[in-house]
């Protein structure tokens, strides 16, 4: 994609955020879902990307699930209430989720494990998405500005839409910026809904409530990873006590998601020294080995503890983060104050045993000469 077309993409996106007419916050969830799925999935060779509506629905569930508990402006606040995500009454998807949340004590991973019920929830959410934001998102005023996907490309057979060539690439390039714009507009919309004003008051903690990390879940990961790493710090390999730190291997500031395989257990000094840098490819290689190639055991522990995890997604996000890092000549952290420029060889570090097996299968059997 050329610089011109990337700027055009951002302008149009900005118009959608500013001018599109919505009484609910669905349009923000939809844009965020398209951006996230562009990072987590590989585009086709022509740069387009087919997305199942079910995958978009899954994202809606993830975003809104955490926004449902009552919001309390601060610890001492007298009133707490669930925020409306629609002008006059609660948005339909949130009503569906509120029901599911109470059944599973608020734990999304537990809801997912009850797969029949979860499938039916996702189907109902998908239906709302198809009826509401999907075909309205790109309508500005009376004009139809289909620059992300086209109505005519909807395929009923597998219930998918297709992001136009270059769209997924732009979302990958500008993921941080898009996330920032979408969240800012989302927060504003929630503040504008009259019924929310009483709950919100002057609270400044709203962005963290809507999009922050889920601290309650983190302690569960901590114990699992401490044991999985044999009580040693992921980065320096020295012994570390149980009260060490849980580090987002791909920093939260780069991609805000809490998924089991993206965590490593570290000394707090090592964690602090790493800051928001990408880890050196030597760390990336160990991360790929420990958490991906031998990650099934971990998946089992996460599943038992009902903690969110997804090996495939964690890997896609890591590859994306290093690709972006390489493009922008990012620095990588090795240890202490030792920082260098990311070299293209990082790719070798994350080629897993599974990839090599797959490549061998695609090449076919070796012919005798
Ligand atoms: Zn350490």
């Amino acid at each position: 994609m050329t610089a011109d077309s990337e700027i055009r993409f951002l302008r149009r996106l900005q118009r959608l955020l500013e001018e599109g007419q919505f009484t609910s916050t669905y349009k923000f969830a939809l844009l965020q879902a398209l951006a996230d799925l562009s990072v987590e999935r590989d585009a086709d060779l022509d740069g387009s990307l087919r997305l199942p509506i079910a995958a978009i629905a899954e994202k809606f569930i993830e975003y809104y699930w955490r926004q449902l508990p009552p919001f309390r402006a601060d610890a001492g606040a007298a009133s707490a209430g669930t925020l409306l995500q629609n002008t006059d009454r609660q948005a339909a998807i949130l009503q569906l989720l509120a029901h599911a949340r109470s059944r599973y004590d608020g734990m999304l991973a537990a809801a997912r494990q009850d797969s029949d019920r979860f499938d039916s929830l996702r189907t109902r959410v998908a239906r709302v998405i198809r009826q509401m934001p999907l075909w309205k998102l790109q309508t500005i005023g009376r004009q139809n500005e289909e620059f992300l996907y086209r109505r005519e490309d909807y395929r009923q057979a597998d219930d998918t839409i297709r992001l136009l060539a270059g769209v997924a690439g732009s979302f990958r390039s500008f993921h941080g910026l898009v996330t920032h714009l979408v969240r800012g507009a989302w927060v504003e919309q929630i503040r504008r809904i009259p019924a929310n004003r009483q709950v919100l008051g002057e609270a400044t903690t709203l962005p963290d409530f809507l999009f922050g990390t889920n601290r309650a879940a983190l302690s569960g990961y901590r114990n699992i990873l401490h044991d999985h790493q044999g009580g040693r710090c992921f980065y320096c390999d020295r012994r570390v006590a149980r009260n060490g730190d849980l580090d987002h291997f791909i920093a939260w500031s780069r991609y805000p998601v809490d998924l089991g395989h993206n965590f490593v257990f570290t000394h707090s000094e090592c964690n602090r020294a790493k800051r928001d840098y990408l880890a050196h490819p030597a760390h990336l290689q160990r991360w790929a080995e420990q958490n991906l190639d031998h990650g099934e055991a971990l998946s089992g522990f996460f599943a038992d503890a009902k903690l969110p995890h997804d090996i495939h997604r964690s890997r896609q996000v890591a590859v994306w983060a290093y690709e972006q890092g390489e493009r922008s000549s990012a620095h990588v952290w090795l240890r202490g104050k030792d920082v260098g420029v990311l070299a293209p060889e990082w790719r070798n570090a994350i080629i897993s045993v599974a990839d090599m097996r797959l490549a061998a299968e695609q090449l076919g059997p070796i012919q005798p000469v």
Side-chain angles (χ1 to χ4, degrees):
M1 224 184 197
T2 64
D4 268 2
S5 57
E6 291 199 321
I7 287 172
R8 206 157 50 233
F9 173 83
L10 287 174
R11 281 221 182 97
R12 295 172 113 174
L13 202 65
Q14 200 173 4
R15 277 198 70 197
L16 280 195
L17 285 170
E18 285 169 355
E19 299 175 31
Q21 287 151 355
F22 266 82
T23 56
S24 74
T25 57
Y26 290 159
K27 99 173 147 179
F28 308 119
L30 180 54
L31 282 171
Q32 190 68 56
L34 300 180
D36 287 356
L37 289 168
S38 296
V39 166
E40 293 168 17
R41 292 175 174 235
D42 295 323
D44 284 336
L45 288 176
D46 69 354
S48 70
L49 174 62
R50 266 220 172 263
L51 292 176
I53 309 299
I56 297 173
E58 185 117 19
K59 290 289 177 199
F60 271 63
I61 294 174
E62 202 175 288
Y63 306 147
Y64 282 125
W65 189 275
R66 57 155 305 130
Q67 302 186 349
L68 269 167
F71 177 82
R72 200 175 284 277
D74 58 70
S79 66
T82 298
L83 296 167
L84 290 192
Q85 303 260 359
N86 194 14
T87 313
D88 44 4
R89 62 194 140 76
Q90 187 57 294
I93 289 177
L94 282 98
Q95 292 181 34
L96 291 171
L97 294 186
H99 197 67
R101 252 196 94 96
S102 59
R103 184 188 293 272
Y104 302 101
D105 205 17
M107 293 168 84
L108 179 54
R112 278 211 173 92
Q113 282 173 17
D114 191 353
S115 53
D116 286 351
R117 276 226 174 81
F118 191 76
D119 286 353
S120 118
L121 174 66
R122 194 175 47 204
T123 303
R124 276 177 290 164
V125 170
R127 192 176 304 141
V128 180
I129 293 172
R130 247 183 268 107
Q131 284 164 356
M132 288 280 305
L134 196 62
W135 308 129
K136 276 193 181 172
L137 177 70
Q138 301 177 95
T139 307
I140 299 179
R142 292 189 166 194
Q143 272 177 324
N144 193 12
E145 305 244 359
E146 295 189 311
F147 72 103
L148 299 172
Y149 51 85
R150 293 201 190 105
R151 194 180 264 260
E152 65 187 43
D153 286 340
Y154 172 71
R155 202 160 66 190
Q156 201 162 11
D158 56 359
D159 196 25
T160 57
I161 55 160
R162 177 175 156 273
L163 294 187
L164 297 168
V167 169
S170 295
F171 275 130
R172 286 173 79 90
S173 296
F174 297 112
H175 186 272
L177 184 60
V178 171
T179 300
H180 186 76
L181 292 172
V182 166
R183 289 182 171 187
W186 196 332
V187 167
E188 278 317 300
Q189 172 114 353
I190 287 189
R191 282 193 199 286
R192 272 200 304 268
I193 294 174
N196 289 337
R197 290 207 185 118
Q198 198 174 355
V199 181
L200 285 173
E202 298 298 308
T204 51
T205 51
L206 182 57
D208 195 47
F209 172 80
L210 295 174
F211 310 115
T213 189
N214 177 3
R215 291 184 204 289
L218 298 187
S219 59
Y221 290 118
R222 183 174 281 127
N223 279 329
I224 291 171
L225 284 161
H226 173 272
D227 296 347
H228 186 68
Q229 292 174 201
R232 293 184 176 275
C233 169
F234 179 81
Y235 293 116
C236 70
D237 203 37
R238 290 199 299 264
R239 297 208 68 83
V240 57
R242 256 180 209 283
N243 62 358
D245 274 13
L246 200 60
D247 176 49
H248 288 91
F249 185 72
I250 300 299
W252 174 266
S253 62
R254 290 178 187 269
Y255 199 83
V257 68
D258 289 329
L259 283 176
H261 296 85
N262 187 45
F263 287 115
V264 291
F265 193 72
T266 69
H267 291 112
S268 28
E269 307 86 75
C270 290
N271 188 17
R272 271 201 305 275
K274 177 174 171 257
R275 308 202 329 223
D276 287 343
Y277 287 120
L278 291 170
H280 188 279
H283 297 310
L284 177 64
Q285 179 158 8
R286 270 185 302 106
W287 177 75
E289 285 164 4
Q290 169 180 300
N291 289 323
L292 304 180
D293 295 346
H294 306 291
E296 291 86 359
L298 267 180
S299 301
F301 296 137
F302 294 144
D304 289 346
K306 307 213 185 313
L307 294 168
H309 62 98
D310 182 337
I311 287 197
H312 179 71
R313 222 173 122 191
S314 295
R315 182 181 190 284
Q316 293 288 103
V317 168
V319 169
W320 164 80
Y322 278 82
E323 269 172 8
Q324 298 305 310
E326 187 185 339
R327 264 211 229 166
S328 59
S329 311
H331 283 76
V332 288
W333 175 83
L334 185 57
R335 67 176 82 79
K337 292 186 170 167
D338 197 347
V339 166
V341 173
L342 176 62
E345 284 73 35
W346 66 266
R347 283 166 203 279
N348 303 334
I350 198 169
I351 291 181
S352 65
V353 179
D355 288 328
M356 286 191 273
R357 207 179 297 133
L358 190 69
E361 274 167 21
Q362 283 166 349
L363 285 172
I366 298 166
Q367 303 293 329
V369 186

